[in-house]
Amino acid sequence: MHTTDTTTARDTTTARDTTVTRAPGPAPAGLTQNSAVRGGIGESTLRPDGTLKVTGEFAYASDLWHEDMLWGFTLRSPHAHARITSVDVSEALRTPGVYAVMTHDDLPAATRYGLEFTDTPVLADGVVRYHGEPVALVAADHPETARRAAARIHVDYDPLPLVVDEATALADDAPVLHPDRDDHHAPYVPHPNMVHRQPIKRGDVAAAEALADVVVSGEYEVGMQDQAFLGPESGLAVPAEDGGVDLYIATQWLHADLRQIAPVLGLPEDKVRMTLSGVGGAFGGREDLSMQAHACLLALRTGKPVKIVYNRFESFFGHVHRHPAKLWYEHGATRDGRLVHLKARIVLDGGAYASSSAAVVGNAASLSVGPYAVDNVDVEAVALYTNNPPCGAMRGFGAVQACFAYEAQMDKVAAELGMDPVEFRQLNAMTQGTAMPTGQVVDSPAPVAELLRRVKAMPMPPARQWESAGEGADIRALPGGLSNTTHGEGVVRGVGYAVGIKNVGFSEGFDDYSTARVRLESVGGEPVATVHTAMAEVGQGGVTVHAQIARTELGVTQVTIHPADTRVGSAGSTSASRQTYVTGGAVKNSCEAVRERVLEMGRRKFGSHHPAWATAELRLEGGKVVTDGGEALAGLADVLEDEAIDIELEWRHRPTQALDRQTGQGFGHVQYSFAAHRAVVEVDTELGLVKVIELACAQDVGKALNPLSVIGQIQGGTTQGLGLAVMEEIVVAEDGRVRNPSFTDYLIPTILDTPSIPVDVLELADDNAPYGLRGVGEAPTLSSTPAVVAAVRDATGLALSRVPVRPEHITGT
Amino acid sequence: MDFLRPAGWEEALAAKAEHPTAVPIAGGTDLMVEINFDHRRPEYLMDLNRIVELGEWEVGEDTVRLGPSVPYSRIMEHLRAELPGLALASHTVASPQIRNRGGVGGNLGTASPAGDAHPALLAAGAEVEVESVRGSRRIPIDDFYTGVKRNALAEDELIKWIHIRKADGPQQFSKVGTRNAMVIAVCAFGLALHPATRTVRTGIGSAAPTPVRAREAEEFLTAALDEGGCWENGRAVPPAVARQFAELAAGACNPIDDVRGSAKYRRHAVTVMARRTLGWTWDEFRGVRRDDNGSARCA
Amino acid sequence: MRVNLTVNGRPQQADDVWEGESLLYVLRERLGLPGSKNACEQGECGSCTVRLDGVPVCSCLVAAGQAEGRDVVTVEGLAVHAEQRAAGACGTGTCGTGLDEARRWQALPPPAEGAPAAQPGQPVALAPIQQAFIDAGAVQCGFCTPGLLVAADELLERNADPSDADIREALSGNLCRCTGYEKILDAVRLAAARAQAATAGQGA
């Protein structure tokens, strides 16, 4: 075996970057990719940051270090809802080694921030609304000093009545958690504890219901899932001589952070300079601020660099989670298997602060039907303010919860009709041209039936693999694994299918754009492109793809990926499966502009030497300007000489529209993506333990810009869906306190829980998207969960309406 | 916090006598979590890793003298024949990295009901030899666990050896968790057949405030096997006997509802594990392969 | 307190260590070796895996004082460790650099006047398992990667031809949130296959 692509990393650390140096490794930046082959789109080129990541030199946010640096620590509320009656920081301040203690009273400017609603206190302002809410900050010379000092901050709390669910949130006499709401949804909600409500109405449900031969309803519940990215929230804030601050940070969206941080610091945005540090995964959990403003506040207060690193315990309180949901669904179908109507109500628990709850509502509502053609729809999705942990973005974003419910319903309706569940789905599958319940006609391929066909056609994994060794049982292949709970007793196999639909990009009229700066110059006689964006590389491989796009568009081999920072325009968030589409699109667009400039320069310099300059279609290839016939006209280095082309442009996808507040009608989403799964599980039916044997996936990706990365995204997303199906849940006690904020009790799949994940990738181009690509990251997270649960239902015969499925549910205990 | 590094056993005992609040640290797999998460700030940490003999074991005529710091990975590898139950339990401990560091002494010192070694020690039969500057004593394992995360050690005592009866028959260990690896026990069950004395012993983890034996179940099964002449005729255990044994085992539990599992589930799971481990050990005793049905039953 | 230990073959000394500090903290914050990662600090994720006297352990659960006089190999030393093993110098992970060699050790060659710290295009020597992780696409965010590399390298050291079940068991203490583990399995298989091909090529 050999690889055809060689990759090396280069250190092009600039003088400014050397203010943060981390002996002995260079910063995770300034990556130049050399490729022995062309290395353009469609190839599985290797990560430019791979070498740094395998040698331990890649500098994640928690790895940063600065001379004279202090450690920040956050004191958090032990109560879910309480009035703060007094705060005494004097003993903490007297602790040797402590440089600053800050509470709400010490904030210099704006005291609240938020992604969509400015409702989140920087530090609690007399009331705490969830367990773990930040109350005070300490900066000290050692993390232990900071912790000890924080323990000496005396806070008196007067507990307040709790809002924990729909009944307590929407009661007439419910405590109103945000009495001074001024957000754009506030005027339209029926209760101030409702963040947002989105109905979707289409067709005539009453008439359709009368025609339905079978009507099947069900109630479903989705637990609170955590992103559980491995790199904890962290960053380093360095005060600057100009009164500003430099923040080195792991985030998903630099400019959104900046927009929220600057007012809190009372600084203009140009005095808050942000540079992306190494990011240890994100999955939505870094879309909101965590310690960003806190570190900057402490740095400006003390005049010293301040580093904050959450530990795993604190990380569970430091970011939002996936909305837990309660869903009621009712489908009607004719005897021949046609879905005629859907009624649904989806209640999402947004927790104490809004975060992106409103957008999650929009997704849950508009994608509530799933990838099916249903003409008559009456759906309502709402998100609530409660005293539970704040919830917001996580991979799948509202579509995950809906998919669990509608896919359970599909199996139920099929069973009621006596139909094969896959055939039933295929019969009702949407296609290109189908109208969504929002009225939006899907105008690119929607191969839902084909994806199902493909996963169903994959060969089945052999039965009783634990016996294949010949002697005894290999417990590693059985439910319970190494815990030695069964040698085959009680083990039953089940198979389940599911398919899902996810929107790509920001929706509902959001101005979703990205910015790319591309520079082309000749270095030592060789053309080199530099791509500079503010895209947060969180592991997804955007940096790999950007280099591929630049090679394809500019015909160069060497591409340097500039560190992501706020010195270039916004790239938008690394979320919503959007970065390859939107920032990839921006890079392509800027490269095209650079190419035009090169050709202009070429015509000017060499146009008189060859008629093709004026007449032929020209492209850049192999470091040269060539005709469409392949004739080389000039080397790029000769065209450029010592001139550099440097272009920064914004690029947007076609606009979307807000959904109508009453009917939910509108062109809400720019693109849809589809994935289907087949799960094969083995269940120890006596102990209720599950072993997933295989999770086959088929997904349409439009165009795989980097097939290796695409498959990695699909397998990773699939595994997070598996986790939600059988183990992952943040458990909140009746008193609103989180009971399992640790990796001991919040379980994510290990390699022994994760099966073989064969992937079948379809490439049906979306003509509206760059290269025809389709966002990849989230769709596989949707259908994985219901497929696994369907397989467990198949093995056990149980209804199983809640995820994660626990042994108690299977054993009736 | 002070860090004590006794170079030998006598020095450790002296240090513990002088600083009774000193917390011994060997594998660190419990204690360091508490320190990292700011749940505990001992006045003194006493590193036992320097005391070489605590990481050694000796196989004697009837017992294995196990050093408290012998890592689980070595028990799995080297003591599978002598201590099969403990070796199986060791294999279920956390992860390979943890098994390379943690030892039985830590499980005993912490005395968490969820410690994986306890059911195996209870089922095999063991004594914990503890010592202080005042002298040494042996605590039968049945008397060792005195409450939730409490044990019979005096504040100046350290665990020197664990004397575990060598297996005279098949042993099994089974543990339920909601993940297929690296999981803390929701509950666990250990079973040891002792053909030499024609007795059966059990151990249950995570289903009561302390690790416990299911004595009534043991007595019932011991009597039933005896009555049926099963030890001699080697016939299968009648299903009704196995069922009764399993139910009595569950009856020994006094579990709680917590984030890892419900009390009801724990009782149920102990029933299932008791029945299965009995089947596995008894088949092994009879020399029957697992998939033979063994139509003859002792009656 | 002061802690003396050998890390990646080089004698190291850390001063003013707080007694409650972990080996992980000392490596990351005092010795400039942040390769070992701080993902959970409770022994549940394996991101901080190092070899302690040759044995893979979670460095977050080793008290700094317990590392006194011990030999530690981290991801930063993995390439050299693998090279020495291949040369037959070390098969256990316990044999680091000799004392004389250690005295001559330098962190990095001093950069030439005016040159950047690292020479562009300079090939970086990688351990076979490191190269395999890159080639197989086993790295996404990379936060779990250092711990996985140390654990996988140790697996291949004692089992040159592991079955899939062996790989899964050996890596069951290392959580990854990005990849779904498939490419990690591929990487370990790839490293094993390459080593076997190389051995076969030598006629050994």
Side-chain angles (χ1 to χ4, degrees):
Chain A
M1 222 172 148
H2 70 285
T3 53
T4 52
D5 194 10
T6 58
T7 311
T8 57
R10 277 188 183 183
D11 178 23
T12 56
T13 309
T14 63
R16 196 169 153 277
D17 291 324
T18 57
T19 55
V20 175
T21 52
R22 174 84 251 192
L31 304 163
T32 296
Q33 193 164 40
N34 288 314
S35 185
V37 296
R38 194 157 165 268
I41 62 156
E43 291 181 31
S44 288
T45 61
L46 302 177
R47 299 187 65 94
D49 54 8
T51 300
L52 291 177
K53 283 181 173 177
V54 299
T55 54
E57 290 170 277
F58 188 81
Y60 295 87
S62 54
D63 299 341
L64 303 175
W65 180 89
H66 199 290
E67 189 76 40
D68 220 14
M69 158 186 107
L70 301 176
W71 292 79
F73 184 77
T74 315
L75 179 71
R76 292 172 183 274
S77 166
H79 299 282
H81 196 199
R83 191 171 306 288
I84 296 173
T85 53
S86 73
V87 182
D88 179 359
V89 302
S90 52
E91 193 189 340
L93 267 174
R94 285 197 303 271
T95 306
V98 168
Y99 285 73
V101 179
M102 295 182 80
T103 68
H104 183 263
D105 293 341
D106 302 306
L107 298 176
T111 60
R112 291 178 177 238
Y113 64 83
L115 259 184
E116 200 177 339
F117 297 20
T118 310
D119 65 350
T120 311
V122 178
L123 292 168
D125 59 348
V127 177
V128 288
R129 296 180 183 83
Y130 72 97
H131 174 212
E133 179 160 355
V135 173
L137 302 170
V138 179
D141 57 7
H142 188 280
E144 175 67 359
T145 313
R147 285 190 292 263
R148 294 280 63 77
R152 292 181 189 126
I153 299 173
H154 302 290
V155 186
D156 289 324
Y157 296 95
D158 191 3
L160 293 167
L162 292 176
V163 174
V164 296
D165 55 16
E166 186 175 15
T168 50
L170 302 187
D172 290 342
D173 59 348
V176 175
L177 296 181
H178 297 276
D180 306 318
R181 281 180 66 174
D182 59 356
D183 58 87
H184 56 292
H185 292 306
Y188 304 99
V189 289
H191 192 290
N193 283 340
M194 189 179 279
V195 180
H196 178 43
R197 171 178 178 272
Q198 180 64 62
I200 307 277
K201 291 181 193 292
R202 187 166 175 79
D204 185 344
V205 169
E209 201 170 352
L211 297 175
D213 297 310
V214 297
V215 174
V216 173
S217 66
E219 287 182 50
Y220 304 93
E221 195 174 339
V222 176
M224 187 187 293
Q225 190 179 20
D226 189 70
Q227 296 83 356
F229 46 71
L230 283 195
E233 290 87 344
S234 28
L236 174 67
V238 185
E241 281 176 12
D242 66 352
V245 63
D246 292 280
L247 178 64
Y248 300 83
I249 185 72
T251 182
Q252 288 178 232
W253 187 355
L254 287 166
H255 287 78
D257 285 8
L258 175 62
R259 178 176 55 72
Q260 296 172 80
I261 297 166
V264 171
L265 304 179
L267 289 172
E269 288 189 1
D270 61 1
K271 288 221 171 156
V272 182
R273 290 159 294 253
M274 297 180 59
T275 305
L276 188 76
S277 292
V279 185
F283 318 116
R286 298 187 206 268
E287 201 153 82
D288 297 75
L289 295 187
S290 57
M291 44 55 64
Q292 285 90 328
H294 294 166
C296 293
L297 285 165
L298 288 171
L300 292 171
R301 175 87 161 202
T302 59
K304 284 171 172 288
V306 173
K307 169 169 163 175
I308 294 183
V309 180
Y310 290 174
N311 66 17
R312 184 52 54 184
F313 175 85
E314 189 170 15
S315 178
F316 276 97
F317 298 100
H319 60 261
V320 299
H321 315 290
R322 186 190 299 292
H323 288 76
K326 291 193 168 135
L327 310 98
W328 174 83
Y329 265 70
E330 179 190 285
H331 281 95
T334 57
R335 196 157 289 117
D336 62 353
R338 294 282 174 184
L339 287 169
V340 292
H341 85 272
L342 166 67
K343 290 199 281 190
R345 186 156 188 278
I346 300 171
V347 180
L348 302 154
D349 184 347
Y353 298 101
S355 178
S356 48
S357 283
V360 172
V361 166
N363 261 22
S366 58
L367 303 172
S368 58
V369 179
Y372 303 107
V374 184
D375 292 333
N376 305 288
V377 174
D378 184 357
V379 171
E380 178 191 58
V382 303
L384 306 172
Y385 275 127
T386 68
N387 294 118
N388 292 324
C391 289
M394 182 177 172
R395 197 176 197 167
F397 203 81
V400 160
Q401 295 90 330
C403 187
F404 174 63
Y406 62 68
E407 284 303 88
Q409 283 284 106
M410 290 303 107
D411 285 342
K412 233 168 141 172
V413 179
E416 186 73 25
L417 292 167
M419 289 183 71
D420 174 85
V422 173
E423 287 171 17
F424 173 68
R425 285 176 171 87
Q426 288 173 318
L427 187 63
N428 290 286
M430 65 187 293
T431 59
Q432 183 165 358
T434 298
M436 294 292 289
T438 56
Q440 178 180 351
V441 175
V442 176
D443 58 3
S444 70
V448 177
E450 172 65 9
L451 293 171
L452 284 162
R453 190 192 67 73
R454 285 181 179 232
V455 283
K456 194 173 180 184
M458 286 194 199
M460 273 289 182
R464 299 170 77 86
Q465 290 183 65
W466 69 87
E467 286 180 334
S468 60
E471 45 180 273
D474 186 342
I475 56 171
R476 296 174 296 193
L478 280 161
L482 291 174
S483 295
N484 191 37
T485 44
T486 179
H487 297 169
E489 298 91 337
V491 175
V492 179
R493 177 170 280 203
V495 180
Y497 293 87
V499 59
I501 176 170
K502 177 71 186 59
N503 60 317
V504 172
F506 288 160
S507 302
E508 298 185 57
F510 190 91
D511 181 21
D512 191 16
Y513 71 94
S514 183
T515 317
R517 181 179 160 196
V518 174
R519 183 182 170 90
L520 184 65
E521 64 200 312
S522 170
V523 177
E526 172 119 25
V528 178
T530 302
V531 178
H532 185 184
T533 73
M535 177 207 65
E537 170 62 45
V538 303
Q540 82 278 21
V543 289
T544 322
V545 165
H546 289 179
Q548 291 177 265
I549 293 172
R551 286 196 203 98
T552 292
E553 298 300 329
L554 298 175
V556 298
T557 334
Q558 281 202 52
V559 180
T560 298
I561 302 298
H562 190 282
D565 55 32
T566 51
R567 285 175 289 177
V568 65
S570 173
S573 180
T574 301
S575 61
S577 309
R578 67 179 282 287
Q579 279 297 24
T580 304
Y581 190 134
V582 189
T583 301
V587 172
K588 177 173 187 279
N589 182 55
S590 293
C591 285
E592 285 164 356
V594 167
R595 186 173 59 211
E596 284 315 305
R597 193 80 61 81
V598 169
L599 295 179
E600 276 167 33
M601 284 170 71
R603 284 189 195 103
R604 226 169 33 237
K605 284 186 184 162
F606 306 112
S608 57
H609 298 217
H610 196 300
W613 281 102
T615 57
E617 282 282 313
L618 301 180
R619 56 177 199 268
L620 308 185
E621 198 177 282
K624 298 182 177 69
V625 179
V626 300
T627 66
D628 52 0
E631 189 187 351
L633 298 184
L636 282 179
D638 298 326
V639 176
L640 291 163
E641 292 178 298
D642 55 1
E643 217 172 325
I645 300 171
D646 199 326
I647 297 178
E648 178 177 335
L649 291 173
E650 283 179 5
W651 184 82
R652 343 178 108 66
H653 58 67
R654 55 185 174 150
T656 57
Q657 295 170 344
L659 302 177
D660 182 272
R661 283 192 182 274
Q662 272 73 47
T663 65
Q665 299 299 294
F667 188 93
H669 301 303
V670 66
Q671 187 186 58
Y672 296 97
S673 67
F674 306 91
H677 279 93
R678 180 190 69 196
V680 180
V681 307
E682 277 162 357
V683 183
D684 180 337
T685 52
E686 282 189 295
L687 284 173
L689 303 177
V690 177
K691 171 90 178 172
V692 182
I693 301 299
E694 189 195 83
L695 246 178
C697 183
Q699 182 169 343
D700 174 25
V701 304
K703 163 77 182 170
L705 264 57
N706 185 306
L708 187 70
S709 300
V710 162
I711 290 169
Q713 283 295 308
I714 294 172
Q715 290 170 336
T718 296
T719 304
Q720 290 182 5
L722 183 165
L724 177 61
V726 295
M727 64 179 82
E728 293 187 31
E729 182 174 12
I730 292 182
V731 180
V732 181
E734 280 177 9
D735 61 2
R737 290 170 55 90
V738 176
R739 295 176 73 187
N740 56 341
S742 75
F743 272 178
T744 305
D745 286 313
Y746 184 90
L747 301 180
I748 65 173
T750 71
I751 195 169
L752 271 167
D753 298 283
T754 308
S756 156
I757 307 172
V759 176
D760 190 351
V761 171
L762 251 77
E763 295 183 271
L764 305 180
D766 175 355
D767 293 336
N768 301 300
Y771 307 112
L773 71 84
R774 204 176 280 285
V776 173
E778 291 171 288
T781 312
L782 271 56
S783 43
S784 163
T785 306
V788 169
V789 177
V792 177
R793 286 190 198 105
D794 183 46
T796 61
L798 298 167
L800 302 176
S801 59
R802 186 185 198 282
V803 282
V805 175
R806 294 189 51 91
E808 284 86 346
H809 301 149
I810 297 174
T811 56
T813 56
Chain B
M1 201 183 289
D2 267 334
F3 198 85
L4 309 175
R5 292 172 179 160
W9 181 245
E10 299 303 326
E11 199 181 324
L13 292 182
K16 186 69 175 149
E18 193 183 342
H19 308 293
T21 59
V23 178
I25 178 168
T29 56
D30 279 330
L31 183 58
M32 284 304 289
V33 177
E34 296 191 284
I35 291 176
N36 289 343
F37 281 6
D38 202 7
H39 294 158
R40 195 167 177 186
R41 285 289 175 268
E43 219 178 329
Y44 298 94
L45 281 182
M46 185 161 75
D47 178 23
L48 298 179
N49 279 175
R50 269 146 234 283
I51 305 168
V52 177
E53 61 263 37
L54 298 184
E56 294 173 344
W57 70 87
E58 197 177 286
V59 179
E61 188 112 326
D62 299 319
T63 58
V64 172
R65 197 183 72 175
L66 183 72
S69 303
V70 175
Y72 290 112
S73 53
R74 296 183 71 89
I75 297 174
M76 283 161 53
E77 201 179 331
H78 299 288
L79 294 170
R80 194 163 281 280
E82 296 84 356
L83 307 175
L86 186 62
L88 281 167
S90 299
H91 205 159
T92 76
V93 172
S95 66
Q97 290 90 328
I98 302 297
R99 298 196 282 270
N100 285 337
R101 283 290 285 170
V104 175
N107 253 199
L108 290 170
T110 303
S112 157
D116 294 317
H118 308 313
L121 296 177
L122 285 166
E127 286 185 328
V128 184
E129 184 180 338
V130 302
E131 197 171 327
S132 71
V133 289
R134 296 177 290 117
S136 76
R137 59 180 179 132
R138 286 186 174 210
I139 307 170
I141 192 72
D142 294 345
D143 301 333
F144 187 80
Y145 311 105
T146 57
V148 182
K149 297 200 174 182
R150 285 184 19 237
N151 60 33
L153 284 174
E155 62 175 10
D156 62 346
E157 286 177 327
L158 294 171
I159 298 169
K160 185 165 193 192
W161 304 112
I162 302 107
H163 302 273
I164 309 165
R165 272 168 53 189
K166 279 167 66 177
D168 60 324
Q171 300 183 349
Q172 275 291 345
F173 174 87
S174 186
K175 151 175 149 184
V176 166
T178 40
R179 189 159 65 179
N180 290 304
M182 201 161 60
V183 70
I184 291 193
V186 171
C187 55
F189 191 83
L191 178 67
L193 302 185
H194 297 286
T197 52
R198 296 189 176 182
T199 53
V200 177
R201 284 175 65 116
T202 61
I204 299 174
S206 263
T210 66
V212 291
R213 281 171 63 190
R215 288 183 189 268
E216 218 180 313
E218 293 175 7
E219 282 158 20
F220 163 78
L221 183 60
T222 299
L225 293 174
D226 210 32
E227 262 170 48
C230 299
W231 296 105
E232 291 82 14
N233 63 29
R235 288 181 179 165
V237 177
V241 170
R243 234 179 358 253
Q244 177 76 2
F245 168 70
E247 273 160 30
L248 289 169
C253 301
N254 181 20
I256 54 165
D257 287 318
D258 67 12
V259 74
R260 293 176 192 151
S262 71
K264 197 174 167 196
Y265 176 71
R266 288 185 155 107
R267 274 208 185 85
H268 166 78
V270 166
T271 313
V272 176
M273 289 190 290
R275 179 160 39 78
R276 287 183 183 173
T277 53
L278 174 58
W280 300 337
T281 49
W282 191 255
D283 281 352
E284 188 185 335
F285 172 70
R286 300 193 301 145
V288 178
R289 290 215 324 276
R290 202 178 51 81
D291 47 1
D292 289 350
N293 278 326
S295 52
R297 303 191 192 284
C298 56
Chain C
M1 64 179 171
R2 168 176 289 187
V3 177
N4 299 284
L5 70 170
T6 303
V7 184
N8 299 329
R10 186 191 187 198
Q12 294 275 13
Q13 192 173 80
D15 283 316
D16 302 320
V17 173
W18 171 57
E19 288 71 15
E21 279 176 24
S22 63
L23 171 61
L24 176 65
Y25 185 93
V26 169
L27 291 169
R28 290 175 52 78
E29 304 296 339
R30 299 190 180 279
L31 301 179
L33 295 168
S36 309
K37 290 291 172 259
N38 56 322
C40 82
E41 295 175 86
Q42 57 181 146
E44 294 280 354
C45 77
S47 304
C48 65
T49 302
V50 302
R51 305 278 294 267
L52 181 66
D53 287 349
V55 177
V57 302
C58 291
S59 60
C60 70
L61 300 185
V62 177
Q66 293 185 293
E68 174 68 32
R70 301 301 177 97
D71 189 284
V72 176
V73 176
T74 71
V75 69
E76 288 96 340
L78 202 58
V80 171
H81 173 69
E83 196 177 282
Q84 287 176 345
R85 179 176 56 215
C90 181
T92 64
T94 55
C95 15
T97 313
L99 197 58
D100 280 348
E101 213 179 328
R103 289 195 180 113
R104 294 192 301 271
W105 191 93
Q106 284 184 313
L108 282 170
E113 198 70 23
Q119 293 298 320
Q122 201 173 38
V124 185
L126 297 177
I129 191 70
Q130 290 172 316
Q131 190 63 53
F133 263 59
I134 295 175
D135 295 342
V139 179
Q140 285 188 31
C141 92
F143 211 78
C144 68
T145 303
L148 271 161
L149 288 167
V150 173
D153 181 70
E154 194 267 348
L155 165 68
L156 294 176
E157 191 171 288
R158 61 186 155 81
N159 181 357
D161 186 21
S163 69
D164 283 0
D166 293 338
I167 298 171
R168 288 185 191 275
E169 182 176 343
L171 302 184
S172 63
N174 293 78
L175 296 177
C176 169
R177 192 56 160 167
C178 294
T179 64
Y181 302 104
E182 282 279 79
K183 303 287 177 210
I184 292 169
L185 275 161
D186 284 349
V188 180
R189 293 176 192 129
L190 175 61
R194 282 177 176 166
Q196 276 168 11
T199 310
Q202 288 162 5

